[in-house]
Amino acid sequence: MEILAFGVQADEQPLIESAFAGHHEVRCLDVFLNEDTAPIAAGYEAVSTSVNAELGARVLEALAAGGTRMIAQRSTGYNNIDLKAAERLGMTIARVSYYSPYSVAEFAWALAMAVNRRVVRASTRTRDFDFRLDGLMGRDMHGRTVGVLGTGKIGEAFTRIAHGFGMRLLGWDVAENPACRELGMRYVPKEQLLAESDLITLHVPLMPETTHLLDADALKSMKDDAILVNSSRGGLIDTAALVTELRAGRFAGVGLDVYEAEAGLFYVDRSLEAIEDDTLARLVTFPNVLVTSHQAYYTEDAVGQIIDATVRNVLDYEAGRRSENVLVPRS
């Protein structure tokens, strides 16, 4: 069986090909799976997709019509997949339920510190031999309050780093993490966390219940000089409302590795094109905002684990096995 892998980055391709060697042939494409590219998968029983694939009912129907029976998504999140449609079509859907939480947690901290200490602005200046310190003043993290929205594996890893900084720890989640409590975290209502935190970081999945978790009212309740970091899913923040707050001069810094309308933009070179997304175009103009391209997971360790899990998911499908990665089982 030959596997068709969509949305493969150049760094990933040799890792994917090596991981599948001895099991199956794999064809890697740099294009992303959507309604326009779905016909390419005709004749492939198994397809692997990236986090930005569009897997709504119409795309799944096109894949099924072409003979695809199994989709192995190379990510933990699956809010882009219509699971009910997949079940109706008799398709097997699997994801990667676990990979290095340190990859995302460490990158979230990189964003936090970069906006806090104005690293990008300083680097740009020094390239022009401008060594002034005006506008580069940051703040110590030690002794300040961090609010962690979502204290699963990634949130816990972020909290451990915050504990090392000597910060006061506030958490919010549907279930408390004993490991975070042992570090001194106090679980509080979301409203209290937003009002008291100097640094707020998001580590919850995107679901209907968490869409725009930080809406206009939530953003207004934050401190004027707070730092906000999102390395989870773009839809957790109402971006238009965030732009409104930034235009009012609020927030010491915002670090975003994700954007709610990133599909079709992120992972693609758009540098020679006019960006039609006015919200994103405005967002990147703020001097206290740093936007990166959904790369928090992108370490050798995490990507290797993601690819290994993807291979296992395909092999499990063939053998009729079911693991914790299966979202829709083989019918």
Side-chain angles (χ1 to χ4, degrees):
M1 182 171 67
E2 187 177 12
I3 315 300
L4 182 62
F6 283 93
V8 177
Q9 303 297 314
D11 295 334
E12 292 179 292
Q13 183 166 341
L15 299 176
I16 290 176
E17 291 173 344
S18 175
F20 272 105
H23 301 294
H24 295 291
E25 294 292 323
V26 59
R27 178 187 175 196
C28 295
L29 303 177
D30 60 359
V31 299
F32 297 97
L33 179 58
N34 54 41
E35 197 167 347
D36 293 329
T37 60
I40 301 174
Y44 288 89
E45 182 178 352
V47 165
S48 178
T49 61
S50 63
V51 65
N52 276 342
E54 297 176 14
L55 289 166
R58 291 174 65 88
V59 173
L60 293 175
E61 288 165 0
L63 291 174
T68 298
R69 294 292 175 264
M70 192 271 174
I71 296 174
Q73 179 145 293
R74 302 187 306 278
S75 73
T76 298
Y78 54 91
N79 54 285
N80 59 319
I81 308 174
D82 188 332
L83 298 181
K84 291 183 178 179
E87 186 174 10
R88 170 172 56 81
L89 294 165
M91 304 180 79
T92 299
I93 308 292
R95 59 156 178 168
V96 177
S97 59
Y98 175 86
Y99 60 85
S100 168
Y102 309 107
S103 60
V104 179
E106 291 171 4
F107 192 83
W109 266 108
L111 288 175
M113 296 307 295
V115 296
N116 177 39
R117 301 306 300 270
R118 315 292 192 259
V119 172
V120 175
R121 184 185 299 179
S123 177
T124 302
R125 282 185 184 179
T126 56
R127 284 178 180 272
D128 293 329
F129 298 99
D130 179 354
F131 299 103
R132 293 172 301 156
L133 297 182
D134 297 347
L136 300 183
M137 185 175 289
R139 296 177 293 177
D140 289 0
M141 288 290 103
H142 178 83
R144 286 190 159 81
T145 299
V146 62
V148 183
L149 293 163
T151 57
K153 292 183 176 65
I154 296 173
E156 178 187 332
F158 187 96
T159 300
R160 291 188 181 280
I161 299 172
H163 181 262
F165 272 100
M167 302 187 75
R168 174 182 176 235
L169 310 174
L170 298 181
W172 175 87
D173 207 328
V174 293
E176 297 184 4
N177 185 335
C180 291
R181 275 205 166 279
E182 289 179 6
L183 292 169
M185 173 173 281
R186 186 160 62 93
Y187 282 85
V188 297
K190 184 183 73 172
E191 294 75 17
Q192 181 180 347
L193 181 149
L194 295 177
E196 297 182 9
S197 297
D198 301 294
L199 166 61
I200 294 169
T201 182
L202 294 164
H203 300 292
V204 300
L206 181 62
M207 302 179 293
E209 301 81 13
T210 60
T211 298
H212 287 182
L213 182 68
L214 296 190
D215 58 13
D217 289 339
L219 292 167
K220 287 182 183 300
S221 71
M222 292 168 53
K223 292 182 176 182
D224 287 344
D225 61 352
I227 293 172
L228 173 62
V229 172
N230 186 11
S231 57
S232 184
R233 287 292 185 270
L236 297 174
I237 298 176
D238 183 338
T239 315
L242 176 61
V243 169
T244 298
E245 297 304 307
L246 289 165
R247 290 181 63 186
R250 302 189 66 230
F251 306 141
V254 176
L256 304 174
D257 186 49
V258 288
Y259 174 63
E260 61 180 324
E262 68 183 55
L265 285 173
F266 283 21
Y267 303 149
V268 179
D269 182 2
R270 303 286 189 187
S271 59
L272 299 179
E273 303 175 19
I275 296 299
E276 298 179 358
D277 189 324
D278 291 338
T279 303
L280 179 60
R282 183 68 179 95
L283 192 63
V284 299
T285 65
F286 291 104
N288 57 334
V289 174
L290 174 58
V291 178
T292 52
S293 51
H294 205 148
Q295 68 186 79
Y297 78 97
Y298 207 55
T299 66
E300 293 179 4
D301 311 81
V303 172
Q305 292 166 6
I306 289 169
I307 292 171
D308 288 345
T310 301
V311 173
R312 290 196 303 272
N313 288 341
V314 172
L315 298 179
D316 285 346
Y317 160 78
E318 282 189 298
R321 295 187 296 263
R322 182 173 179 176
S323 72
E324 71 279 2
N325 290 338
V326 176
L327 299 170
V328 180
R330 184 171 186 173
S331 56

